[in-house]
Amino acid sequence: MTRDPSWLAGLLRDIPDFPQPGVVFKDLTPLVGHGEAFRFAVDALADHAAGLGVDKVVGIEARGFVFAAAVAYRLGAGLVPVRKPGKLPGQTITETYALEYGTDALDVHVDALARDEAVYVVDDVLATGGTATATCRLVERLGGAVVGLGFVVELGFLDGRSRLADREVLSLVTV
Ligand code: AMP
């Protein structure tokens, strides 16, 4: 059945004041827990990536891994984890960034990409765009090329997309 991705919106759950007061957290566990919806979301992201000649899929810890791993599997592409500081065991580089709720940093292994590899970045939610921008910087510092980014949900009011203005971006649901 061909469906518009907006049907996924009914499987998002708003959790007010999580993880801190004032933030409305978009909980994707109902979507991931719905077999047809999860497959639909993964297929939509993988279809987008497939048109971009992707060598590697980069997934952002932690909820991004859920979708990135499935997209990489469908493409037959390698998966590169971008993780919170101190989690990766090998030699890493780090980028710091601003979140909707605080600041944080992300690491990637220095040998995760070969020069000029085409990379597709996957995360669950695009909010301010800080996380995605930092991830693009990590990829580019390693000599990779970000050919596209895919998100399940975009928080339109935070306008993270403007920070990715020069990039190829797909989000399945904008709220
Ligand atoms: P940002 O860097 O502001 O675009 O934030 C995106 C990252 O933070 C993603 O990894 C999301 O998982 C998480 N995130 C930020 N805001 C929310 C939110 N309101 N609901 C769920 N996840 C969020």
Side-chain angles (χ1 to χ4, degrees), residues 18-19 23-28 60-64 84 97-101 123-133 151 155 157-158 160 163:
F18 182 89
V23 174
V24 179
F25 189 85
K26 291 290 172 192
D27 178 20
L28 274 68
I60 306 175
E61 183 170 1
R63 293 178 295 278
K84 304 283 167 57
Y97 64 102
L99 263 185
E100 186 188 2
Y101 39 83
D123 204 358
D124 63 336
V125 173
L126 173 63
T128 67
T131 306
T133 303
F151 304 90
L155 305 184
F157 62 99
L158 291 173
R163 296 178 69 176

Side-chain angles (χ1 to χ4, degrees), residues 30-120:
L31 187 158
V32 172
H34 185 296
E36 187 189 351
F38 181 53
R39 176 181 280 174
F40 180 93
V42 168
D43 282 346
L45 296 174
D47 288 347
H48 181 230
L52 300 170
V54 170
D55 298 308
K56 294 266 171 69
V57 175
V58 164
I60 306 175
E61 183 170 1
R63 293 178 295 278
F65 293 166
V66 173
F67 296 94
V71 169
Y73 176 84
R74 235 214 57 186
L75 295 176
L79 176 69
V80 173
V82 160
R83 300 205 62 182
K84 304 283 167 57
K87 299 284 190 182
L88 289 168
Q91 190 187 346
T92 56
I93 57 171
T94 301
E95 282 282 340
T96 54
Y97 64 102
L99 263 185
E100 186 188 2
Y101 39 83
T103 60
D104 215 332
L106 290 171
D107 287 355
V108 70
H109 275 144
V110 292
D111 59 356
L113 296 173
R115 200 146 198 92
D116 296 328
E117 276 194 306
V119 170
Y120 189 75

